[in-house]
Amino acid sequence: MFFFSKKYSIAEIGLLEGGTDCHSHLLWGVDDGVHTAEDALSCLQLMEQQGLKTQWFTPHIMEDVPNKVEHLKTRFAEFEEQYAREESPTGHKIQLHLGAEYMMDGLFTELLSQGEPLLTTYDKETLLVETSTIFPPLNMDSILEQIKAKGYRPMLAHPERYLYMKKEDYKALYYKGTLFQLNLASLTGAYGPMERDKAKWLLENNMYYIYGTDTHRLSQLKSISQSKCLRSKTADLLLNLKA
């Protein structure tokens, strides 16, 4: 338990130590994430310092960024080899895995209907999916049911960022079996006060399945780690969520 009057950072409470970051854009040069392998390595070095055990790379796959699975796998294998050759100042190396963040758009429904294996995140059944932050796809409920029918579990990335969702929407999705992934930056207020308050409400109501940093830049990761934004209650809830 932490002191009630203080605010803590994610680094201070040791959230990442031995944990899993299930959302990042560290596969360089394939989307709006890091631009170079060196940028990715710098982010991983910071994660090493905080004792992270497992890092998932979840590049975008969407109509605007139509990444092909085979290309992502090739790029990931090349980077994984490069990372293995790098010496860690801490002597600690992170386990790397490749997943994806799928936008629930026309490309995604096409891929789903084709029956080709999709890139899962965190385990062999979980698909990390997202929508526009402003409005949902017209057939969102149908898409989520199709995901389940294909044997996957839908996990909604950063649900606290969806401006169109209200408390009753979250409850309906949660009780229908949709998993929720918290963006840690939301708790720092990085996306705004509404997103921060939604994240706290979802966390306090035990609706989150797991967290992710959604790292795109080293500066962003430093801010997530170092911002003193967590009250005692929030810190305890986060540590209970730790994978």
Side-chain angles (χ1 to χ4, degrees):
M1 176 63 90
F2 302 94
F3 294 107
F4 286 102
S5 60
K6 287 188 63 176
K7 286 187 177 181
Y8 301 87
S9 69
I10 283 167
E12 284 177 320
I13 68 171
L15 179 66
L16 299 185
E17 186 174 354
T20 297
D21 178 7
C22 75
H23 186 170
S24 76
H25 295 273
L26 296 180
L27 189 61
W28 66 274
V30 297
D31 59 11
D32 60 343
V34 296
H35 298 307
T36 67
E38 288 69 30
D39 292 337
L41 290 169
S42 295
C43 290
L44 288 173
Q45 285 174 2
L46 181 56
M47 298 286 202
E48 289 171 0
Q49 292 169 12
Q50 296 190 40
L52 187 73
K53 179 181 178 182
T54 306
Q55 177 69 64
W56 283 86
F57 289 13
T58 52
H60 286 294
I61 298 181
M62 56 171 66
E63 290 174 342
D64 292 340
V65 189
N67 278 310
K68 302 292 186 182
V69 168
E70 289 308 314
H71 170 63
L72 295 176
K73 286 182 175 180
T74 299
R75 174 62 60 85
F76 175 75
E78 291 171 351
F79 179 78
E80 194 174 28
E81 290 181 4
Q82 181 176 356
Y83 177 62
R85 294 194 298 268
E86 293 287 322
E87 288 189 13
S88 171
T90 65
H92 167 69
K93 301 293 282 189
I94 299 170
Q95 299 171 13
L96 306 183
H97 297 282
L98 177 64
E101 182 182 16
Y102 290 94
M103 177 67 74
M104 289 193 285
D105 56 15
L107 174 60
F108 177 68
T109 55
E110 180 181 341
L111 293 171
L112 201 58
S113 65
Q114 288 173 352
E116 293 293 324
L118 302 179
L119 289 172
T120 58
T121 299
Y122 188 60
D123 58 30
K124 294 180 180 179
E125 290 80 38
T126 303
L127 277 181
L128 184 66
V129 296
E130 66 172 337
T131 79
S132 160
T133 59
I134 303 171
F135 50 81
L138 293 175
N139 54 346
M140 182 171 175
D141 287 341
S142 174
I143 295 174
L144 291 171
E145 291 305 315
Q146 290 176 52
I147 292 172
K148 297 173 193 174
K150 292 290 185 178
Y152 297 109
R153 296 188 303 170
M155 181 163 66
L156 195 58
H158 42 66
E160 69 279 355
R161 295 184 60 195
Y162 301 130
L163 303 181
Y164 61 87
M165 282 195 182
K166 303 185 183 305
K167 290 181 179 180
E168 55 267 27
D169 299 316
Y170 293 116
K171 289 178 180 178
L173 288 172
Y174 179 80
Y175 288 116
K176 288 180 181 177
T178 298
L179 305 176
F180 293 156
Q181 173 256 305
L182 164 66
N183 261 22
L184 292 176
S186 296
L187 293 172
T188 72
Y191 306 111
M194 180 185 297
E195 291 82 353
R196 181 194 60 215
D197 291 346
K198 280 186 171 186
K200 288 183 178 179
W201 180 82
L202 288 164
L203 187 61
E204 289 168 1
N205 283 273
N206 300 310
M207 289 189 182
Y208 283 120
Y209 182 67
I210 196 172
Y211 62 76
T213 63
D214 198 1
T215 299
H216 287 66
R217 302 285 183 270
L218 179 61
S219 58
Q220 175 198 21
L221 181 58
K222 287 181 177 178
S223 178
I224 292 170
S225 300
Q226 298 168 5
S227 295
K228 291 182 178 289
C229 59
L230 307 177
R231 294 286 188 187
S232 172
K233 180 180 178 181
T234 305
D236 285 335
L237 289 170
L238 273 178
L239 289 172
N240 288 335
L241 182 67
K242 187 172 176 177

